[in-house]
């Protein structure tokens, strides 16, 4: 597992021998943070952040869910994918010669609504009781040719992959 915690990968030994570098993405409502890690020692090699340009459809997640339901679902997905790809392009310029971003494990954490918007899934089930997300499982999505991102699974509409990644990082699941 690759989990961002205090600018370190936790349990990076799990990647020892599998890869030299990995990328972690925090998909937030206001910003998107991307960090390139050294899997051998867990150090951050490079970090970048950008505004989440979905904000043109509302500064809060509720406004974006409403926009998604009112026909902007694809637009919201395309915008956030473009933002993430821009950050990954920055990261790729920091990679050593011969290492390609397409070869790296890339994990992404975000709340349930943000993951639904990223994956172009309907947010309709997130609006009213009984709050049933379309999908809670972790997703592997192809953002662009050969660039795959694995999202953390969610537990419910209100306990998303962002919280799940924190549980893993803090080893709460083993306490």
């Amino acid at each position: 597992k690759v989990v961002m915690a205090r600018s370190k990968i936790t349990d990076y030994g799990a990647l020892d021998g599998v890869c030299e570098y990995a990328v972690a993405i925090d998909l937030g409502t206001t910003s998107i943070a991307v960090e390139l890690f050294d899997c051998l020692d867990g150090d951050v090699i490079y970090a970048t952040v950008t505004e989440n340009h979905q904000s043109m459809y509302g500064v809060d997640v509720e406004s974006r869910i409403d926009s998604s339901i009112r026909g902007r679902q694809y637009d919201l997905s395309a915008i956030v994918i473009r933002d993430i790809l821009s950050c990954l392009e920055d990261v790729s310029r920091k990679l050593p010669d011969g290492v390609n971003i397409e070869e790296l494990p890339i994990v992404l954490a975000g709340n349930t609504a943000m993951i639904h918007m990223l994956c172009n899934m309907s947010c309709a089930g997130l609006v009213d009781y009984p709050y049933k997300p379309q999908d809670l499982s972790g997703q592997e999505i192809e953002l662009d040719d050969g660039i795959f991102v694995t999202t953390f699974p969610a537990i419910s509409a209100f306990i998303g992959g962002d919280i799940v990644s924190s549980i893993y990082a803090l080893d709460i699941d083993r306490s």
Side-chain angles (χ1 to χ4, degrees):
K1 71 184 175 187
V2 181
V3 183
M4 195 165 52
R6 293 192 191 108
S7 297
K8 287 272 196 189
I9 288 180
T10 62
D11 200 15
Y12 53 85
L15 294 173
D16 196 13
V18 175
C19 64
E20 191 172 348
Y21 305 101
V23 176
I25 302 172
D26 177 8
L27 173 55
T29 306
T30 57
S31 61
I32 301 166
V34 179
E35 293 187 338
L36 171 66
F37 292 92
D38 181 320
C39 293
L40 301 177
D41 60 19
D43 287 338
V44 174
I45 297 168
Y46 179 73
T48 186
V49 67
T50 188
E51 173 188 350
N52 183 334
H53 289 95
Q54 290 177 328
S55 59
M56 66 190 298
Y57 291 104
V59 295
D60 56 54
V61 73
E62 292 85 4
S63 299
R64 291 187 211 165
I65 289 171
D66 186 58
S67 292
S68 175
I69 292 169
R70 295 180 185 273
R72 296 296 185 183
Q73 178 178 319
Y74 175 81
D75 298 335
L76 288 158
S77 177
I79 288 167
V80 77
I81 288 172
R82 189 170 44 247
D83 287 344
I84 292 168
L85 287 172
S86 174
C87 288
L88 291 175
E89 187 177 318
D90 289 347
V91 167
S92 68
R93 287 193 280 271
K94 301 299 180 181
L95 292 169
D97 290 338
V99 178
N100 298 312
I101 195 82
E102 297 86 356
E103 300 167 354
L104 303 183
I106 303 172
V107 295
L108 183 145
N111 69 45
T112 305
M114 296 308 297
I115 298 300
H116 272 56
M117 288 179 224
L118 168 69
C119 296
N120 197 23
M121 292 188 283
S122 172
C123 291
L126 302 176
V127 176
D128 294 313
Y129 181 80
Y131 307 107
K132 295 197 62 101
Q134 184 174 332
D135 193 332
L136 294 172
S137 65
Q139 304 289 315
E140 182 176 53
I141 60 171
E142 187 171 16
L143 298 179
D144 199 16
D145 289 337
I147 300 178
F148 290 88
V149 171
T150 302
T151 67
F152 276 90
I155 295 173
S156 72
F158 299 105
I159 304 173
D162 51 350
I163 295 172
V164 171
S165 70
S166 296
I167 291 169
Y168 283 177
L170 298 171
D171 283 331
I172 293 171
D173 59 321
R174 297 188 188 139
S175 299

